[in-house]
Amino acid sequence: MVSPYFVPGKAGLKWFKETRARGVTVEVLTISLASTNHDAVHGGYKRYRKAVRNRTFDRQLAALQQVELFASLEPNELAQLAERLVYAPFARGDVLIRQGETANWLYLLIKGDVDVWYEPEGESRRFLKTLYGGSVVGEMGLLTGEARRATVSARTDVECYRLDKSVFEQVIRARPEVVESIAVTLTA
């Protein structure tokens, strides 16, 4: 659903809840106060904003807690990362990561499947593996600073959270010993 002035009201919230209970994914794209001058719309939405933010934060934190890569982080560090995750959906066939690009983020796969491909110059690309929800994509380049070693494309519609390198580096700078723990996890 795309709506410039979205205020669901009680009936709308009931419909969303019932629809989600039937297993239907519901996404709403709307605008922010920064992009409109209609205070009445934002006034109507204001009472929902905190609950939506809390649910979003809880989902982001749960996603991080399920990833072994972040197991050595303290709860406050996980919370710091969770607050800065960016929701990143991809349609079937979209490229999440392209081989050779600079690694500026990693993705936490929340839902869906992705294929990993090696694309040697002048040769046909080679399928390496499929990753599923709960996996992390792009962590090696983020940690080593090397260019991406493979291309990752969405096998199905995919929901991810993107963690930007600058956010992750803030945690690493504050606690450098985390890098060793992460390195052990990656090599295990």
Side-chain angles (χ1 to χ4, degrees):
M1 173 184 295
V2 177
S3 170
Y5 306 113
F6 181 72
V7 181
K10 287 183 181 180
L13 286 176
K14 182 180 179 209
W15 179 86
F16 280 114
K17 188 175 184 176
E18 291 169 354
T19 303
R20 290 192 67 214
R22 291 193 316 266
V24 176
T25 300
V26 178
E27 294 179 18
V28 177
L29 177 63
T30 188
I31 56 177
S32 70
L33 183 58
S35 61
T36 185
N37 60 358
H38 295 278
D39 293 333
V41 172
H42 295 285
Y45 182 64
K46 182 178 181 181
R47 64 182 165 204
Y48 304 107
R49 196 169 282 135
K50 185 174 182 178
V52 169
R53 184 186 175 289
N54 289 342
R55 275 194 308 273
T56 300
F57 175 79
D58 290 346
R59 273 189 240 128
Q60 292 167 323
L61 187 58
L64 286 168
Q65 290 169 332
Q66 293 177 10
V67 176
E68 187 179 352
L69 182 68
F70 302 116
S72 64
L73 297 180
E74 298 293 329
N76 65 321
E77 293 166 330
L78 285 171
Q80 180 184 356
L81 291 180
E83 288 175 352
R84 305 284 298 280
L85 289 177
V86 176
Y87 179 69
F90 293 91
R92 182 177 181 262
D94 284 353
V95 173
L96 286 72
I97 292 173
R98 189 166 309 280
Q99 184 174 319
E101 288 182 342
T102 303
N104 292 316
W105 56 79
L106 62 77
Y107 290 109
L108 305 175
L109 289 156
I110 304 306
K111 185 177 176 183
D113 308 335
V114 298
D115 288 332
V116 182
W117 300 89
Y118 177 62
E119 299 178 324
E121 195 171 320
E123 297 179 36
S124 297
R125 70 184 190 159
R126 291 184 217 137
F127 173 77
L128 298 176
K129 62 184 169 180
T130 298
L131 298 173
Y132 306 96
S135 299
V136 178
V137 179
E139 71 280 7
M140 290 301 289
L142 189 71
L143 291 167
T144 65
E146 295 176 8
R148 303 288 192 187
R149 295 182 185 175
T151 294
V152 179
S153 60
R155 173 181 277 240
T156 64
D157 288 347
V158 174
E159 292 183 32
C160 301
Y161 287 121
R162 187 185 77 223
L163 177 62
D164 293 333
K165 185 176 184 175
S166 61
V167 174
F168 189 64
E169 285 177 340
Q170 289 173 1
V171 172
I172 299 301
R173 277 194 292 274
R175 240 177 22 103
E177 66 274 14
V178 169
V179 174
E180 184 177 331
S181 175
I182 290 171
V184 168
T185 300
L186 289 174
T187 58

